[in-house]
Amino acid sequence: GFPQSNADDIFQDKDGYIWFATQNGAARFDGFNYFIVDKYKGLRSNNVVDINQDSKGNFWFSTKGGLTKYTGNSCINFTVEDGLSSNIVRNTFELPDGRILINTNFGTDIYENNKIRSFNLKDIPELFIKRKNGEIWCISVTNVYKLADDTLQNVNYSKLEGNLYCITEDSDSALWVSSDRGIYKIKDNEFIHLTDKNGLSDNKIKNLLIDSENNLWYASEQTGCGKYFNGKFYNLTIERSEEHT
């Protein structure tokens, strides 16, 4: 069965399987059964917070005790002794050239030539994304950046307020940014600010997802998750779905 009642990340691999990052390991669901990668199988820590898969098919499990590269058969573990800035790893991101960026709570590292070293960025990114035009962008608590020539370049989004958490792009090339003051939509330097006054369940939104039909999904630690569809917020709670216009 499912190893934990909550999950920090949901990931779909190249074969279509759904993985869940839990505090008891990484769980793959094939539609019928769960396959668990945990410390018994060589995972560095059972407290998994993020799952990613690189272009070669390797899985990268970010945990609160280090980083694990899972080949499908065996686990290769990395800690501060192997070059990580911290054993608390937030997430990973594969660059177009195959190098792996590793976001920790003390800064960003890079995996190249089977070694980890500090990436020496001027800020601590929360998350990297690849845009539809091929550019690599990232977000920190205070800023949005482009990554070019292994350097962070400021994007002048001065209208963004509060602590920033997540960034994603929809099929129309609009950017969506979540913060502790609501959600921002940015298209052609035009800013739309959506808050609880527009029907959002909570202004502190940690995660965003654009689905295959270009709908925005959002998650809050306090009030659960919801969907923004056709200009309306649908706040999904355990008890009922609430619609706000």
Side-chain angles (χ1 to χ4, degrees):
F2 195 65
Q4 181 79 21
S5 60
N6 63 334
D8 282 317
D9 186 38
I10 303 172
F11 176 78
Q12 187 170 27
D13 69 20
K14 297 184 193 319
D15 295 322
Y17 294 119
I18 300 296
W19 290 77
F20 299 91
T22 82
Q23 293 176 16
N24 287 328
R28 186 190 72 193
F29 186 59
D30 64 6
F32 299 97
N33 300 300
Y34 287 100
F35 169 76
I36 314 296
V37 180
D38 56 15
K39 291 181 82 170
Y40 293 108
K41 290 189 172 71
L43 189 66
R44 172 62 189 159
S45 164
N46 278 351
N47 199 338
V48 182
V49 295
D50 185 80
I51 299 171
N52 204 352
Q53 189 177 22
D54 65 26
S55 55
K56 295 176 182 175
N58 299 306
F59 289 92
W60 295 84
F61 299 133
S62 301
T63 82
K64 292 188 176 179
L67 177 68
T68 296
K69 178 183 178 182
Y70 177 63
T71 65
N73 298 308
S74 61
C75 290
I76 304 165
N77 293 315
F78 303 95
T79 67
V80 290
E81 294 175 356
D82 302 294
L84 283 179
S85 297
S86 166
N87 282 337
I88 299 176
V89 182
R90 293 172 171 171
N91 52 60
T92 60
F93 179 84
E94 184 178 21
L95 292 170
D97 59 14
R99 296 180 298 165
I100 306 291
L101 294 178
I102 306 159
N103 285 327
T104 79
N105 65 332
F106 284 169
T108 302
D109 301 321
I110 189 162
Y111 176 82
E112 58 181 345
N113 301 321
N114 297 316
K115 291 181 181 177
I116 293 175
R117 63 173 176 83
S118 175
F119 200 48
N120 294 323
L121 296 176
K122 64 181 179 180
D123 202 345
I124 300 179
E126 297 285 321
L127 180 73
F128 286 90
I129 64 166
K130 183 178 180 180
R131 298 202 61 181
K132 300 202 177 337
N133 62 8
E135 293 178 345
I136 307 299
W137 285 46
C138 72
I139 194 167
S140 74
V141 173
T142 54
N143 285 298
V144 175
Y145 300 99
K146 288 182 192 178
L147 180 71
D149 299 322
D150 289 358
T151 304
L152 293 182
Q153 300 177 351
N154 284 60
V155 179
N156 186 21
Y157 284 164
S158 57
K159 292 181 181 177
L160 297 178
E161 297 180 345
N163 291 329
L164 311 179
Y165 297 121
C166 188
I167 185 169
T168 191
E169 184 182 30
D170 67 21
S171 61
D172 302 317
S173 297
L175 284 175
W176 296 81
V177 174
S178 71
S179 72
D180 60 3
R181 299 190 187 181
I183 298 172
Y184 294 87
K185 180 182 180 181
I186 308 162
K187 180 79 188 286
D188 302 324
N189 276 332
E190 207 176 297
F191 286 73
I192 297 173
H193 187 196
L194 301 167
T195 68
D196 53 1
K197 294 177 181 175
N198 304 97
L200 190 60
S201 62
D202 177 19
N203 282 340
K204 189 174 183 180
I205 302 297
K206 282 296 187 80
N207 289 296
L208 299 174
L209 171 75
I210 301 292
D211 68 17
S212 57
E213 297 177 350
N214 208 34
N215 301 309
L216 178 77
W217 294 79
Y218 51 89
S220 156
E221 289 181 348
Q222 302 298 320
T223 56
C225 62
K227 180 179 178 181
Y228 185 65
F229 174 67
N230 282 346
K232 293 180 181 177
F233 282 107
Y234 297 85
N235 297 312
L236 306 175
T237 64
I238 292 172
E239 285 138 11
R240 67 188 188 281
S241 174
E242 301 171 356
E243 177 185 330
H244 294 277
T245 55

